[in-house]
């Protein structure tokens, strides 16, 4: 948790600075979807652990027109489809930088209804093994792409694909300890896909809206 405190401080500092900009910066979001365990591939029937047990909530602040920060809470429940005692749950807090790709793609720069966000950062996860409530603590690296579709000045829909790498992971996605099934190392990788809604906060005028569309 100590590693997350500097991220929170950075979020607050940049948010304070960003108040001087001439566009709305703050948004909140919620997403639902599924996850896929990728590595290690030893000792797991991957398709049995592809679950629609992923959701996140969070807030984003665009400090500049194309650059912002994002804090989120994520939940992943890896459970064997035929045996609920096999698996782990992840509760993750993450902090990321977010970059709007419109300046790199002329077609996005001119669009008023479609955007694409690139994001990446760090996370901290507490993991629980389903078979005996054994605990594990992980550091995460994560990144992904997030297409967004504007519905109104206050609302957008999104889809998101993301890769997460767990550092110091001791339990397999099945719940087994790595050393018990012959897996070397202390890392793991999984992917998520989600869809959801973004709500933009702030005042709006004819020529004033959120940075995603400004």
């Amino acid at each position: 948790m100590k590693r997350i405190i500097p991220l929170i401080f950075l979020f607050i500092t940049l948010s304070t600075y960003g108040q001087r900009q001439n566009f709305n910066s703050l948004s909140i979001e919620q997403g639902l979807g599924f996850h896929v365990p990728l590595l290690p591939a030893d000792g797991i029937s991957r398709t049995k652990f592809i679950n629609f047990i992923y959701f996140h909530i969070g807030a984003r602040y665009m400090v500049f027109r194309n650059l912002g920060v994002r804090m989120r809470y994520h939940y992943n429940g890896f459970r064997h489809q035929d045996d609920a005692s096999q698996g782990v749950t992840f509760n993750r807090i993450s902090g990321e930088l977010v970059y709007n790709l419109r300046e790199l793609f002329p077609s996005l720069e001119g669009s008023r209804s479609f955007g694409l966000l690139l994001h990446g950062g760090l996370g901290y996860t507490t993991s629980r093994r389903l078979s005996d409530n054994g605990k594990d603590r992980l550091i995460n690296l994560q990144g992904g792409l997030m297409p967004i579709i504007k519905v109104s000045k206050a609302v957008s829909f999104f889809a998101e694909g993301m890769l997460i790498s767990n550092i110091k992971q001791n339990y397999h996605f099945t719940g087994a300890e790595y050393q018990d099934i012959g897996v070397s190392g202390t890392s793991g990788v999984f992917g998520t896909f989600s869809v959801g809604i973004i709500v933009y906060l702030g005042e709006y005028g004819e020529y004033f809206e959120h940075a995603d569309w400004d």
Side-chain angles (χ1 to χ4, degrees):
M1 183 59 68
K2 291 181 180 180
R3 294 178 174 87
I4 298 300
I5 293 176
L7 294 174
I8 297 174
F9 179 77
L10 176 63
F11 185 88
I12 295 172
T13 300
L14 293 178
S15 296
T16 301
Y17 175 80
Q19 290 175 0
R20 298 197 295 268
Q21 304 300 325
N22 60 350
F23 48 77
N24 282 334
S25 297
L26 183 62
S27 64
I28 57 175
E29 65 186 69
Q30 180 175 0
L32 301 169
F34 67 91
H35 49 232
V36 181
L38 299 174
L39 295 172
D42 308 69
I44 185 172
S45 175
R46 186 177 291 120
T47 57
K48 292 293 185 179
F49 287 86
I50 297 176
N51 305 125
F52 284 85
I53 315 177
Y54 167 65
F55 73 86
H56 79 258
I57 56 174
R60 175 164 54 93
Y61 199 100
M62 299 303 289
V63 182
F64 305 105
R65 183 171 178 263
N66 287 335
L67 183 66
V69 290
R70 187 187 197 189
M71 297 291 295
R72 288 192 290 175
Y73 163 77
H74 314 251
Y75 176 82
N76 295 90
F78 290 92
R79 292 181 175 87
H80 193 287
Q81 295 175 10
D82 302 321
D83 184 353
S85 68
Q86 293 187 41
V88 292
T89 62
F90 292 156
N91 288 278
R92 183 168 85 258
I93 301 286
S94 68
E96 297 177 296
L97 292 178
V98 179
Y99 182 71
N100 193 321
L101 293 172
R102 60 187 163 191
E103 287 190 351
L104 300 181
F105 301 98
S107 59
L108 292 178
E109 177 67 24
S111 175
R112 303 301 297 169
S113 60
F114 180 79
L116 185 62
L117 306 180
L118 175 70
H119 59 87
L122 300 173
Y124 175 81
T125 296
T126 57
S127 174
R128 180 178 67 87
R129 182 162 59 179
L130 298 181
S131 60
D132 61 1
N133 288 324
K135 301 296 191 301
D136 199 7
R137 293 177 174 82
L138 320 172
I139 301 300
N140 319 107
L141 299 174
Q142 63 182 55
L145 283 173
M146 186 175 177
I148 55 178
I149 297 175
K150 182 180 179 182
V151 178
S152 71
K153 286 189 175 183
V155 175
S156 290
F157 292 140
F158 73 84
E160 180 185 50
M162 186 166 55
L163 282 177
I164 301 93
S165 176
N166 293 332
I167 302 171
K168 295 185 177 180
Q169 179 173 330
N170 297 302
Y171 295 150
H172 201 298
F173 298 103
T174 64
E177 293 195 35
Y178 277 2
Q179 60 185 8
D180 292 342
I181 57 176
V183 174
S184 59
T186 56
S187 63
V189 178
F190 66 98
T192 65
F193 179 81
S194 61
V195 295
I197 187 171
I198 300 170
V199 177
Y200 300 120
L201 304 180
E203 297 181 2
Y204 298 90
E206 184 178 358
Y207 302 106
F208 186 78
E209 54 186 310
H210 190 271
D212 285 353
W213 312 109
D214 179 70

